[in-house]
Amino acid sequence: MYVVELNDLQGLFTALSQQGYTIIGPQVRNGALTFDRMTSVDELPRGWTDHQDGGMYSIARSGDDALFSYTVGPHSWKRFLFPARLRLFAARREGKGFAVDPPAATPAPPYAFIGVRACELAALDLQDRIFMSGQYADAHYTAIRSSAFIVAVNCGRGGGTCFCSSMGTGPKARDGFDLALTEIMDGERHAFLIETGSSRGKDARAAMQAREADPSEIARAAAVSRAAESTMGRALDTSGLAGILAENFEHQRWDDIAKRCLACANCTMVCPTCFCSTVEDVTDLTGDHAERWRRWDSCFTSDFTRVAGGNIRMSTRTRYRQWMMHKLSHWVEQFGSTGCVGCGRCITWCPVGIDITAEAAAIRGANVATTNG
Amino acid sequence: MPAKRPKVAVFKFASCDGCQLSLLDAEDQLLAVAGAVEIANFPEASRRIVKGPYDIGLVEGSITTPHDVERIREIRKECRFLLTIGACATAGGIQALRNWKDVKEYTRLVYASPEYISTLDRSMPVGSYVHVDFELRGCPINKAQLLEVVNAALNKRKPTIPTHSVCMECKLRGTVCVLVAKQIPCLGPVTQAGCGALCPSYDRGCYGCFGPMENPNPPALSKRLVALGCDRRDVVLMYRGFNAYAEAFRKESDAHEK
């Protein structure tokens, strides 16, 4: 393991830029930590932190100079890998048929993602399994994902709606990164412990003024992750949960949730593993040109389950149940793990603060108080 | 292009004209529209009026007088495809606020000779009197959505007009939720998409211009608005906007007025 001082961290940004990467990282925008293009360490949210609870998010001064004392914001990396809107192809009328224009070769800008959290690495891994495996691999996702450079940053505090420890996905990044940083602040000292996860990562580290870490620095970094673990705002008991939910398909709690749920789809939009999309065809007025677009969709919308003969999920009750059971139950059968990484976004960004951990606990029969709504 | 261009007519009832002007506001696509259809009856755009029947009828405005009722029934007979445009035509409009009051009292106050005023008790959407083939929401409508419906009709396909929440539009464009991050009262979660989530992108809460979304839960949202500090009157006023008389909004404002 290596260490780089704050003043030398810019070396990483410079090296990535020189290698042609478009650097995306957290920045303060519109009262939140969102992802945007950047070129310099100075654009990172130095001295900012966030406060989160069900249906509540705010940023505040952290009182120190830490670059990464926030947890996760409203955006997730899927925005770059699985864009909200994407043109799949265009077609032209030709005689009595039509010709499909070849899709423009995706000029996948090689992205470098800065500040990827452990829960988000787990989310990337889940989406990789959806989009990059089997017969129907997604070419667009694969192109962008394969070239992306991942700089993970280990959390130093747990957010109010975080529960990655419960899901076994964090707070410390274990794999799936090129570089992983842990921010160390000791008095005047401000440095980053560096772990490398790939040969690309090793090359990038070599471009920085990094030196080998001493045992006290390694111990200090371990304490950062322990601090995150001990301050996590939520927990989800996953033992036997997939089966418990499956056995409680008609539980009264689903009716109770339906009274509170807005069916607005925010939870699915912010979820870093939700992967559903729909396709929409557009034509010009003459009908001679058409395009097919893909856009994010949600199991909370009516069109999502409209099939020949009707709609298979008419009520908010059945839609919420489908979403939560897919995450925590069906996903296990489908992919061998849950579809939830414990980032807490669905809790924070639910306008009425419906809490997946509380709902799961209620269905399990644990004694929980309903939080919001 | 079809040899015979479909005849399009535009009709106005109680409204401000803003929605029908969206068609003239189509700018880059206006000439293409004029080429693809025959503008047969559109007094705002042309003095030339061709008699019906029409292939496509666009109706703006709400039904507020006995004469309106007769006229919309005649228009329905003349139009093969009847498309209502805007909050007035689809929900009764802002003028439906009078539905909560005694309209006779207003006419006595406003007009010197109220006996000349022939009006109905309520301002109602076109769909309450005749069958409507498609309702295009909004105050005003989104011109891209209007072109999409015309376009779909010309190309004999289903128009892509989502009925989900405004929240999805915020999330698609990456707007930070003003309700969650700034505690700004917002009707986005109960309102139908279509505007492109315009207000939240300018740090304003949604005003509900496109009316209730497909599966709205206003009581759950109101509970949150009250928790954020809105009193009962604030909540009533939020739902009593351009789509005040749309069922889900009407019921919710009534519930907070009791």
Side-chain angles (χ1 to χ4, degrees), chain A residues 300-373:
Chain A
F300 283 87
T301 71
S302 171
D303 275 351
F304 188 82
T305 40
R306 180 165 297 148
V307 293
N311 196 317
I312 56 168
R313 283 194 287 271
M314 286 298 288
S315 67
T316 297
R317 173 181 177 272
T318 55
R319 291 180 195 168
Y320 185 91
R321 182 176 66 191
Q322 160 63 23
W323 174 71
M324 184 167 146
M325 288 193 64
H326 189 213
K327 286 282 169 229
L328 299 176
S329 185
H330 311 324
W331 206 303
V332 178
E333 297 162 37
Q334 213 176 347
F335 303 110
S337 68
T338 74
C340 172
V341 296
C343 72
R345 284 184 179 88
C346 58
I347 307 173
T348 298
W349 298 98
C350 171
V352 293
I354 293 174
D355 182 341
I356 191 172
T357 66
E359 303 310 336
I363 288 166
R364 177 187 287 280
N367 190 19
V368 287
T370 304
T371 47
N372 292 297

Side-chain angles (χ1 to χ4, degrees), chain B residues 17-39:
Chain B
D17 285 33
C19 289
Q20 54 172 305
L21 290 178
S22 304
L23 195 55
L24 295 178
D25 198 24
E27 294 166 7
D28 295 350
Q29 289 185 273
L30 184 58
L31 290 177
V33 173
V37 302
E38 179 190 1
I39 306 283

Side-chain angles (χ1 to χ4, degrees), chain B residues 4 13 21-22 58 77 122 126 129 163 181 208 213 221 223 229 237 258:
Chain B
K4 194 170 180 302
F13 288 83
L21 290 178
S22 304
L58 272 56
K77 283 182 208 159
R122 294 185 296 169
V126 170
Y129 289 94
T163 54
M213 52 87 100
L221 178 65
K223 206 168 172 184
L237 292 180
K258 278 174 194 158

Side-chain angles (χ1 to χ4, degrees), chain A residues 77-78 80-83 86 88 105-111 113 124 126-150 200 294:
Chain A
W77 303 102
K78 82 174 176 186
F80 301 95
L81 296 158
F82 167 50
L86 180 70
L88 298 177
T106 313
Y111 284 123
F113 297 147
L124 291 176
L126 287 177
Q127 288 218 324
D128 288 353
R129 280 145 68 185
I130 307 294
F131 288 120
M132 288 171 56
S133 61
Q135 195 181 347
Y136 302 105
D138 182 302
H140 186 269
Y141 181 99
T142 304
I144 295 182
R145 178 70 171 107
S146 308
S147 62
F149 189 98
I150 307 287
R200 285 192 303 188
R294 183 184 78 184

